[in-house]
Amino acid sequence: MAKKTNIFLNDIKNYDLIREMLHHIYMYGNYSKGDIVKNNIAGSQRSVYDMINRIKNYLHGEYLTTHKLPNRKQDKQGYRFKYDPFQCPINYLADTYRNCSYVVEDFIFYFTILQSFKPYEKHNSYAQHKLSRYASDVSELIIDGKYHYETLISNFHDVLMANEDILQLSGQSDTSLFTDSEALFTPAKTRDRLHELVELGIIIKEDSLYSLAPDIFEQYEEYIDNIFLLVQFFYNCSDLCIPGYYLAHTLSQYSITLGREENSKIFSEQENPVFFYKNLSIQNVIDDNTLWSIINAIDGLYPIALKYKNKEKIVQSYNVFPIKVIIERQYGRHYLFAYNYTYQNFIMFRLDSVSGVKPSEAVEKTEVFEFLEDENDIEKQLNNLYNKQMENVWNTTRTDTMYDILIHFSCDSDYYSQLLNRVAATGRYGTIIPINDTSFDYKIKVKSYIEMKPWIRNFGEYAIVDRYTSPELFEEIKNDYRKACELYGII
């Protein structure tokens, strides 16, 4: 859980601002308080101080460090994150997600409800943490594991009082919660949280009785370490990291209750790391809460409201229908392709500039699918619409102009097959025209030739843009090489 260090423990406000600060400090790493304010990431240096303290509250100090900025008379202190993948191979930024995931009252509620349901004869978490004196405090509350709602409410209050010491000892509570527990377990809050746990499958409701779902890992206890390793691998290779991150944490704690604390340390504390995945996708974890909200909307087929900061740092509000999340593998960027209700057109958002995602209240039910022919087979229509809109798009830029691109590839015959296979694998939907055993042409129509430049430069001297078929792209590439030569003093 998050460390209790100051008043920011209960503060989950302004996570979008904190997320933006995390993104900039991670990507650029030389930002001072003044720089953060200058780039409109925070309104004042005081607010920078507040957000930095919130970040430090749940992120260990070894990851977020300070350093002296050179040639600065004022505002000398800069912030940066730890980068070395050999010293720090873990996705530490995943911990920042907790700031928008729960408050202390949530922790106490779920702690209490699990205590009310769970028998203690098998897994005694107190004993594992040398707090065995609390293990029998609430044993008399366990009947047969099935309760009516009224019985649960009564149990919650009793469990909370019985565990007052351990909750305060773990730094997750204060005295006021125990003196007025009715304020915490109000009927409205309790029913909402029970319903949430039923939907998640953690609690089972049969007629009017609630019970804890069976332990799904019980029959796989001997394989827990292997399952943990498998989950750890996949969540670090996935574009949506957070669900797997927390599942791995749960498995690690589960392993401890089975008496396997030493084995779990091999992975959870990274003393002997297995994976070096930090540079693969750790920055994407900052956008997971936004991505998760968008994926839910796509799955639920409902419009969303969002805020978007453009290149001029101006924040605008949009009501859109999300259609596709696009992951650009070459640069690791995430995009949202959506229908814009205001201008009745299609728009592309960079996910790291999106904030404040929530279900839209401005779009009437009759207007939700106004951009479709009808409401039959909606998913098929959305796929067809997306494919049509993205036709002849090299990456993500869509324009009204079509460009003919012709590139001449040539090399020694020994390297010909390798070059041909590389172009075939990365050349998207273009056409390859063989000429002889040392050369071939590549032909394509695109809506933005600018996006092709990094791909072309990646082939160096082997790729030459045809100056007559693609004059704009030819001049762009020529000027780029000229500027590079001037920069390095070659010409």
Side-chain angles (χ1 to χ4, degrees):
M1 302 303 297
K3 300 178 292 180
K4 183 175 182 180
T5 57
N6 50 44
I7 61 173
F8 298 110
L9 183 63
N10 287 300
D11 198 333
I12 60 171
K13 298 178 182 178
N14 299 325
Y15 180 75
D16 285 327
L17 296 177
I18 294 173
R19 164 181 167 247
E20 188 168 1
M21 184 180 293
L22 290 169
H23 174 80
H24 280 79
I25 294 176
Y26 181 86
M27 295 301 293
Y28 304 110
N30 279 316
Y31 270 46
S32 66
K33 290 181 183 178
D35 295 330
I36 293 172
V37 174
K38 183 179 179 181
N39 284 273
N40 298 324
I41 302 170
S44 67
Q45 292 199 22
R46 175 64 189 180
S47 62
V48 174
Y49 172 80
D50 289 344
M51 284 189 280
I52 288 292
N53 274 305
R54 292 188 185 104
I55 293 171
K56 289 181 178 178
N57 185 60
Y58 45 75
L59 201 64
H60 291 292
E62 63 180 299
Y63 302 133
L64 177 61
T65 61
T66 60
H67 63 285
K68 290 184 178 180
L69 296 173
N71 303 320
R72 295 274 188 111
K73 293 182 179 180
Q74 296 179 341
D75 201 23
K76 299 178 181 179
Q77 180 174 277
Y79 298 96
R80 61 186 172 199
F81 284 115
K82 197 170 185 177
Y83 283 93
D84 189 343
F86 292 94
Q87 295 182 19
C88 181
I90 63 174
N91 272 337
Y92 56 82
L93 288 182
D95 284 331
T96 65
Y97 190 80
R98 298 180 183 181
N99 195 56
C100 66
S101 301
Y102 79 97
V103 292
V104 172
E105 285 189 5
D106 294 326
F107 166 77
I108 294 174
F109 179 87
Y110 294 121
F111 170 87
T112 306
I113 198 170
L114 292 177
Q115 292 285 21
S116 298
F117 279 114
K118 187 65 176 174
Y120 295 98
E121 66 272 14
K122 186 164 188 181
H123 303 311
N124 188 339
S125 58
Y126 292 127
Q128 294 294 332
H129 295 282
K130 299 181 175 60
L131 295 168
S132 57
R133 65 182 180 278
Y134 299 106
S136 60
D137 284 352
V138 294
S139 59
E140 69 275 10
L141 297 177
I142 304 301
I143 306 174
D144 59 358
K146 295 183 178 181
Y147 301 98
H148 288 282
Y149 173 75
E150 292 75 14
T151 306
L152 275 177
I153 289 290
S154 176
N155 283 0
F156 290 164
H157 297 298
D158 294 338
V159 170
L160 187 64
M161 298 304 296
N163 290 275
E164 177 179 358
D165 291 343
I166 189 173
L167 285 170
Q168 291 183 355
L169 186 65
S170 64
Q172 298 296 336
S173 185
D174 54 53
T175 307
S176 62
L177 288 172
F178 303 101
T179 57
D180 189 17
S181 61
E182 286 80 5
L184 177 61
F185 297 113
T186 63
K189 287 182 180 179
T190 303
R191 286 188 184 278
D192 287 344
R193 284 168 169 165
L194 283 173
H195 179 70
E196 177 187 346
L197 292 176
V198 169
E199 286 190 332
L200 292 172
I202 297 174
I203 289 178
I204 297 175
K205 183 181 181 183
E206 296 177 345
D207 297 326
S208 60
L209 293 175
Y210 292 90
S211 61
L212 197 63
D215 181 358
I216 61 174
F217 294 114
E218 188 171 7
Q219 57 182 317
Y220 303 110
E221 288 183 359
E222 61 180 306
Y223 306 111
I224 286 296
D225 292 339
N226 292 332
I227 296 174
F228 178 89
L229 184 62
L230 191 66
V231 170
Q232 191 184 39
F233 171 76
F234 279 110
Y235 89 70
N236 281 288
C237 294
S238 169
D239 292 293
L240 194 61
C241 307
I242 290 296
Y245 177 86
Y246 283 115
L247 174 57
H249 182 267
T250 299
L251 288 171
S252 176
Q253 296 301 307
Y254 189 91
S255 180
I256 291 175
T257 65
L258 298 177
R260 300 181 181 181
E261 186 171 1
E262 295 302 320
N263 289 344
S264 65
K265 282 183 178 180
I266 295 177
F267 308 111
S268 61
E269 295 186 8
Q270 299 295 328
E271 294 176 350
N272 185 22
V274 179
F275 306 116
F276 290 92
Y277 36 65
K278 177 181 184 300
N279 295 319
L280 173 64
S281 62
I282 186 171
Q283 70 274 15
N284 293 336
V285 100
I286 303 174
D287 299 325
D288 261 17
N289 64 308
T290 300
L291 181 58
W292 185 260
S293 299
I294 291 172
I295 289 176
N296 282 334
I298 292 174
D299 184 63
L301 297 175
Y302 59 82
I304 57 175
L306 58 83
K307 295 179 180 178
Y308 187 71
K309 180 179 286 188
N310 60 25
K311 294 180 180 179
E312 289 73 35
K313 306 294 183 181
I314 299 173
V315 178
Q316 296 177 305
S317 298
Y318 292 87
N319 287 284
V320 304
F321 188 91
I323 298 175
K324 290 283 186 182
V325 171
I326 303 170
I327 301 167
E328 207 292 303
R329 293 290 183 183
Q330 185 172 358
Y331 304 106
R333 295 171 184 157
H334 290 56
Y335 296 84
L336 168 64
F337 176 76
Y339 174 75
N340 181 10
Y341 288 99
T342 303
Y343 295 102
Q344 296 183 328
N345 62 354
F346 296 94
I347 190 169
M348 192 79 71
F349 299 98
R350 267 187 60 167
L351 231 59
D352 57 2
S353 296
V354 171
S355 62
V357 179
K358 61 182 179 180
S360 175
E361 298 178 356
V363 181
E364 299 292 336
K365 290 185 178 180
T366 56
E367 299 173 345
V368 171
F369 300 109
E370 67 180 22
F371 55 95
L372 298 180
E373 295 179 0
D374 52 54
E375 295 189 19
N376 297 319
D377 205 351
I378 292 175
E379 292 186 5
K380 182 178 180 180
Q381 288 190 69
L382 290 174
N383 284 329
N384 291 339
L385 186 151
Y386 170 77
N387 291 332
K388 182 178 180 180
Q389 291 291 325
M390 296 299 290
E391 190 175 7
N392 296 111
V393 174
W394 176 262
N395 190 6
T396 58
T397 302
R398 300 160 50 254
T399 66
D400 296 328
T401 306
M402 194 76 72
Y403 298 92
D404 289 309
I405 305 299
L406 177 63
I407 305 172
H408 306 295
F409 286 90
S410 61
C411 63
D412 295 335
S413 57
D414 295 339
Y415 182 60
Y416 179 82
S417 296
Q418 184 178 345
L419 181 62
L420 182 65
N421 291 335
R422 186 178 165 196
V423 172
T426 60
R428 310 290 170 95
Y429 53 89
T431 301
I432 295 176
I433 306 171
I435 297 177
N436 51 46
D437 61 352
T438 61
S439 60
F440 60 90
D441 286 347
Y442 173 83
K443 192 174 183 179
I444 193 172
K445 287 181 178 288
V446 294
K447 292 184 176 180
S448 174
Y449 62 83
I450 298 296
E451 291 186 323
M452 291 190 66
K453 287 165 57 177
W455 181 76
I456 297 171
R457 287 198 299 261
N458 196 39
F459 291 96
E461 62 182 357
Y462 301 120
I464 299 176
V465 177
D466 189 274
R467 67 184 307 167
Y468 302 106
T469 305
S470 317
E472 300 95 344
L473 180 57
F474 176 83
E475 290 298 324
E476 287 272 357
I477 295 289
K478 184 179 73 172
N479 291 334
D480 286 348
Y481 278 124
R482 181 180 296 278
K483 290 177 182 178
C485 290
E486 291 175 351
L487 180 65
Y488 289 100
I490 298 175
I491 59 174

